[in-house]
Amino acid sequence: SCFPLGGMGQFSFSSETNTGVSWGRVEELVFQGEKQISRLLWDTNWVPHLGVKGTVRYRWFIGTLEAATAFPVRSGALEDFDYLLSDASQASHYSWHEAYLDKDMFFGTSWGIRFPLVTGIAVESQLGFAYQNRKWTGQNGYLQYPVSGYWTGSESKQILAGPVISYEQSLWYPRLVLTVNWGLSGTTGLSVGGSWIPYLHIQALDNHFLRAMQFYDQLQEGSGYEGEIKLVTNAEGATRGEKTCYMGLKIRSFSVKGSTASRTIGSPDVNFVMDPVYSAGSRELIWQFSVGIRM
């Protein structure tokens, strides 16, 4: 079976193909000392994805290898808030742009043990590692920069055309995974899992084309979590169980901070300059719905 509940079976391998959509938001943050001076909100809404996964099992041992990619689409909006005046809770400048997801590639692996608790219930405990690379571009839209005072939303709009901002992240992180599998009936199972991400390392490259500035962030002070629930059905019945279909809902959230450096785009000086007064950060909350088939 591709949804086994026992722990002492012989060697087996299963492959999986899945597709679905994701939605949520990634935040890009800039700080001056302890004060947040910039906040960019990148939508990642209704982005289609395609993934593959392989799983090996031998007795108590289980190992997985997975890869996924999103399709380049318009993913919503980019909103850019600056907080440059004395009241850090009120925005001083604002801009709005169309957000396009240029790429989003994911690779992951995990290894651990699988053991039965009671009849019909099995637990998986794994240590995993993941890498992801993704990039957005903000195009067109408008600026609202008050002549004085705080941004209110009633200011005149300066219309823009073409690429304005791009943001690329490379993420590496370990994860501790715990999954509980229930055999609800002879043909149906439920899988509930959670992952703790104790450490993230993110390298981010941010291009502001209107200012001809490029920023390089190294973020590694933070943590996160993942959660997933799947409903699995044996497509070929309880006696064979050679093929299973499932639908699942996953969530990932993290918050991380670190250093930032900058340089002028097109300058002959290729070195980034770090100012210790400034720092950077990123936050994420993204949901993903998937349907898939295992064989």
Side-chain angles (χ1 to χ4, degrees), residues 25-28 39-44 74-81 94-100 136-142 164-167 206-208:
R25 177 174 285 178
V26 174
E27 298 183 47
E28 177 189 355
R39 180 171 176 247
L40 289 82
L41 308 178
W42 294 91
D43 283 340
T44 305
R74 180 177 172 186
S75 58
L78 161 62
E79 293 184 282
D80 185 356
F81 300 86
Y94 174 80
S95 68
W96 183 96
H97 314 281
E98 301 165 358
Y100 291 86
W136 298 265
T137 299
Q139 300 189 37
N140 306 321
Y142 60 85
V164 180
I165 299 174
S166 70
Y167 185 56
D206 179 9
N207 294 295
H208 287 246

Side-chain angles (χ1 to χ4, degrees), residues 26-45:
V26 174
E27 298 183 47
E28 177 189 355
L29 309 171
V30 182
F31 302 90
Q32 183 178 19
E34 296 300 318
K35 179 185 177 183
Q36 179 181 286
I37 61 171
S38 182
R39 180 171 176 247
L40 289 82
L41 308 178
W42 294 91
D43 283 340
T44 305
N45 291 336

Side-chain angles (χ1 to χ4, degrees), residues 7 91 136 144 176-177 201 204 219 223 226 241-242 276:
W136 298 265
Q144 284 186 313
L176 301 174
V177 186
H201 181 81
L219 314 176
S223 60
E226 298 171 314
E242 295 174 354

Side-chain angles (χ1 to χ4, degrees), residues 160-179:
L160 304 173
V164 180
I165 299 174
S166 70
Y167 185 56
E168 182 173 0
Q169 286 186 334
S170 293
L171 304 87
W172 296 264
Y173 59 89
R175 48 185 176 173
L176 301 174
V177 186
L178 184 66
T179 306

